[in-house]
Each structure stands twice: as C-alpha cells, then as structure tokens.
Amino acid sequence: MEQRISLVTLAVDDLGRAVRFYEAMGLKRNQSITDGVAFFQMGGVVLGLWGREQLASDAGIPGGKGGFSGVSLAYNTRSEAEVDEVLATAEKAGGRIVKPAQRAFWGGWYGYFADTEGHLWEVAHNPDFPIAEDGSISLP
C-alpha cells in the first residue's frame, strides 16, 4: 500500500448547506460530478460530501447520527495569524468555533471549528511541520 490518502468523504445531512459552507471557506466545487455528491480538490487530496444515509448504505452500515465520530480533519497554516483568519472565516460561513485559537502544549497555535454538519476541523500552525510551496507538509 502506498503511503497516502486520496479522498476524505464526509457524511452530511444537508448537501446544499454543506456545499455552501465549504464554498464560503474558499473551496471550489468540481463541476464534472455533481449528482447527489460534491467534490473539492484540496492539493493532492479530494474532499467529498455525500448524504449520510447514502454513504452509510454504500459502506453497508446503519445510518443515523451519533456523537463524536472520533475523527477530525486538520488544516495546517503557514502562520499563527492564518489560524485566526481561518477560524473567523469558518464562523462567518456558518461553522461553530469549538475551541478558540490558543497556545498548544507543543508550542504552536491552534483551534477547532465544526462545519455545518458537525465535522471537526483543527486549524494549526505547527512550526515543526514545514509546509512546502504546494501545500504538502512533511513530518520532522
């Protein structure tokens, strides 16, 4: 198995609302595949949004919405100021700030927001995780 993630798909209750949120965050929806699903190119990874029941059915598991899924997505920034900007943009787009930006025990600056469907995103500036020009990060 190659060491990479190709696609992250989020289960959503309201596809239109979720698409509007991510577009307000600055993502551009791919227009070639739009029937009941939304895809956004994010560097070398694709973010997909698909109806909660459809995704559960596709995976062969019961649908429904529980508590914390045990998963968070992360967006690493190039500066501490960008953490604050991304959190403010998320809130303005209809997201909810779960944890305001603050100093991390590991020395960086970070916070969390939930999108309109409750999916957690960590936004962090980690000076020990260099970000290449193409947006990819490398472990120290």
Side-chain angles (χ1 to χ4, degrees), residues 4-5 16 19-20 27 31 33-34 38 41 44 64 68 85 91-92 104 107 111-112 117 119 121 130 137:
R4 64 181 159 83
I5 294 176
V19 167
R20 288 188 299 276
L27 280 67
Q31 294 301 312
I33 304 171
T34 59
Q41 188 70 52
F68 177 54
E85 292 167 14
E91 188 170 42
K92 183 178 178 187
Y112 279 87
E117 299 292 319
H119 299 290
W121 281 83
I137 65 170

Side-chain angles (χ1 to χ4, degrees), residues 115-126:
D115 70 9
T116 57
E117 299 292 319
H119 299 290
L120 286 177
W121 281 83
E122 177 190 25
V123 182
H125 173 66
N126 185 335

Side-chain angles (χ1 to χ4, degrees), residues 51-72:
R52 184 173 307 280
E53 294 299 324
Q54 291 88 347
L55 183 55
S57 175
D58 189 59
I61 60 173
K65 193 173 186 177
F68 177 54
S69 68
V71 175
S72 73

Side-chain angles (χ1 to χ4, degrees), residues 2-56:
E2 293 180 41
Q3 297 180 20
R4 64 181 159 83
I5 294 176
S6 303
L7 187 116
V8 173
T9 304
L10 301 178
V12 300
D13 292 317
D14 186 327
L15 182 62
R17 178 180 65 197
V19 167
R20 288 188 299 276
F21 173 80
Y22 283 100
E23 288 178 335
M25 291 296 295
L27 280 67
K28 304 283 186 239
R29 183 178 184 183
N30 179 288
Q31 294 301 312
S32 59
I33 304 171
T34 59
D35 189 22
V37 67
F39 292 111
F40 301 89
Q41 188 70 52
M42 298 185 73
V45 176
V46 172
L47 174 67
L49 305 175
W50 199 10
R52 184 173 307 280
E53 294 299 324
Q54 291 88 347
L55 183 55

